[in-house]
Amino acid sequence: MKFRAILLFACALGQACSTAQAADAPPARPKVEDFFSNPEFSGALLSPSGKYLAVKVGAKDQRDRLAVVELGPNTVKVVGNFSDADIGKFQWISDQRLAFTAADRTLAQGDQRYAPGLYAINRDGTGFRQLAMRNGTPFITSGFSGIQSRDLLPWHTYMLDQDGAQDSESMYVLNSSISGPGQVDYVDLQRINTVTGRVATTIARPGASMGWLLDNKGEPRLTMTSKDRTSEIHYRDPANNEWRRLTAFDSYTGGKGAFTPLAFGPDGTLYIVINRKSNIASVHSYDFATNKISDDPVVTLDGYDFNGHLIMDQHKILGVRYLTDAAGTVWFDAAMKAMQDKIDGMLPNTINLLTPPTRPEAPWVLVTSFSDVWPSRTFLYNRDTMQLSAVGASHPTINPTQMAHRTMVRYKARDGLEIPAWLTVPQGGGKNLPMVVLVHGGPYVRGGNLAWDPEAQFLASRGYAVLEPEYRGSKGFGARHYLAGWKQWGLKMQDDIADGTRWAIAQGTADPKRICIAGASYGGYATLMGLINDPGLYQCGIDWLGVTDINLLHDGHWAYTSDMSDGWRQYGMAEMVGDPVKDAEQLKATSPLLQAARIKQPLLLAYGGADMRVPLPHGTKFYKAVKQTNPNVEWIEYPDEGHGWALPKTRYDFWNRVEKFLDKNIGAR
């Protein structure tokens, strides 16, 4: 079987990917399925030598399969192919062997379980071994036999999301002690032989470990422990394998002593991310001899907290992958910098991220290419021939010439704080457009970047401008911006969103009489509070999976289980969102549930019956309350869905309803 026979080839390099149209006919408007289908191609990894490429291959009405391509001859072997499951995550254990998990794209969250199982196989399809149980029971696909459940690791064994040594048939795995939903007591790190399935070593813990970091040679060097509300970072000295504590800090609020381990360099240097005498978190080095952090940053980004990783081979750091408004790379290696320039010239209209193999013995480099109008595509670049070969595209039916450009804008909130935001304007631009203010969830996360986003692009394709504020509390824009959002649900965080809406009106972008606010999770909460606080600003609202009362997150009295840990509820929420006792009056004043009667605008509500983050009573209680005074409320319940729409059919149904709701209430002309 040849390489091109099974891989998904995108459009001609550098060309727009569009269906042929009659000369006098405009291109058909993209369908909802084009935006919200599962990716047709969602992963590719070069082997350590770069001689082989592992890919996850999907097709309509077929299970995702794992295939290995021998580059050069371009021969393909499907090595993972379950009859009743999809391939989940996968990684190279060595140049000979891979590990992978199972997944099921046909199940909503209510039908899914915690355990993805763990499997290993050789790149030629031989040597299959199931290593860990899936969902508490053996999961043996047809064609593989001879393994008894007593030989398997327990269901709470997970793949470590780091490359190990990649030079043997062994790998490190995580074995979590779980006492309930969202309640992890500690996580063991174990080295297992993937041929025999046996645990060779369990690394001694200095406490209740919650995370681990391997060094550049694939050996455990750091662990983060947690007790009550204190986190500690411990270093395992390679001279004697003894642990020593480096720092301790508050698990939820950070503060003095807090840093995030990033990676070990090939020479054993530890790199960390920290706010050191600065509003911005940067990369610094840590000196184990003196237990001191470097005064000067190794990597700092102008106006953005560092978010990214180091790119290394066995011998040196080649470059740094980072995220500002968009993803990018700084190369320290001259050859990689020259290659980046060459590929950017071949793919001039996209962000092109290069991933070289860790132990290169072949000329291949993996290239991931995307932009605000291009969904992700994957290529292979050959150093010797300087040619690109298309491997796959995540959403090949999307025509980038029909997509809308996304830009970062900045505006001042009423108290003077600068708020970043993403603005997507339909093709052709225009003034006084109907607009959707799309509020990201979290809330203490970053919202977006300059990459193709299906939600904003779908709305823009229907004629709506889309404004997505990075309101205070959003991460990535400095400590002041982040901390300014603590205990500001429904208050200054809400003002930031309203001030952005008024900014868009003042700019002439938005028609003040045709604006809808929308969002999921915290974004759903902000939608409801926006309708309450600024009734003249928003003509309608769309809330899916939204929090409707903060106290329900603290102590919801229902027969549902939440996936939030007891520690987060006791410490994190009290500090960052609001204490149910000390801040009782504030939580009442910022409760959409208690103020439901104030919402008079048309409202679309959608909730998942299996949601463990924002359980269904958030929706049902609010719907019952708001319906008493507002006849223009639509209710959707997806019984098997959780905190997000896992199934394509759910996404199609929901966004079709969104389109009809918007058309009815602020319709694009």
Side-chain angles (χ1 to χ4, degrees), residues 462-530:
R462 270 50 185 172
Y464 300 98
V466 183
L467 181 70
E468 300 172 83
E470 297 280 6
Y471 47 81
R472 70 190 67 203
S474 300
K475 278 192 171 181
F477 304 96
R480 285 192 293 271
H481 191 86
Y482 171 57
L483 295 173
W486 286 21
K487 290 193 177 183
Q488 292 300 311
W489 286 44
L491 301 172
K492 289 184 179 180
M493 292 166 77
Q494 200 68 45
D495 292 343
D496 292 346
I497 299 164
D499 292 344
T501 307
R502 293 188 176 97
W503 171 88
I505 294 170
Q507 295 292 309
T509 300
D511 181 344
K513 296 181 179 179
R514 292 191 295 162
I515 300 175
C516 191
I517 185 169
S521 194
Y522 171 83
Y525 168 89
T527 292
L528 301 178
M529 286 304 301

Side-chain angles (χ1 to χ4, degrees), residues 452-469:
W452 184 80
D453 178 81
E455 295 179 359
Q457 289 292 347
F458 173 73
L459 293 170
S461 75
R462 270 50 185 172
Y464 300 98
V466 183
L467 181 70
E468 300 172 83

Side-chain angles (χ1 to χ4, degrees), residues 9 96 99 130 203 268 280 312 379 417 434 464 503-504 518 535 558 582 584 626:
F9 276 81
Q96 168 73 10
Q130 183 174 0
I203 303 300
I280 298 297
M312 297 179 281
F379 299 89
L417 185 67
Y464 300 98
W503 171 88
W558 52 69
K582 296 178 182 178
V626 76

Side-chain angles (χ1 to χ4, degrees), residues 13 20 87 137 189 265 365 383 391 402 440 607 622:
L13 301 185
I87 298 296
T137 60
L189 183 69
V365 171
R383 298 173 187 253
V391 175
Q402 293 181 281
H440 74 73
Y607 283 80
F622 184 82

Side-chain angles (χ1 to χ4, degrees), residues 610-653:
D611 193 340
M612 296 176 65
R613 180 66 50 85
V614 180
L616 184 63
H618 276 267
T620 54
K621 287 174 179 285
F622 184 82
Y623 177 59
K624 181 180 179 180
V626 76
K627 278 292 287 182
Q628 295 180 25
T629 55
N630 188 342
N632 298 315
V633 181
E634 299 180 35
W635 169 262
I636 317 165
E637 180 183 339
Y638 299 109
D640 297 323
E641 290 282 11
H643 201 62
W645 311 140
L647 297 179
K649 67 177 183 179
T650 305
R651 298 195 290 269
Y652 304 158
D653 180 79

Side-chain angles (χ1 to χ4, degrees), residues 315-338:
H315 309 293
K316 62 181 179 179
I317 299 174
L318 302 174
V320 177
R321 181 74 32 82
Y322 63 86
L323 179 66
T324 53
D325 59 338
T329 312
V330 171
W331 293 108
F332 308 138
D333 181 82
M336 289 302 303
K337 186 178 186 303

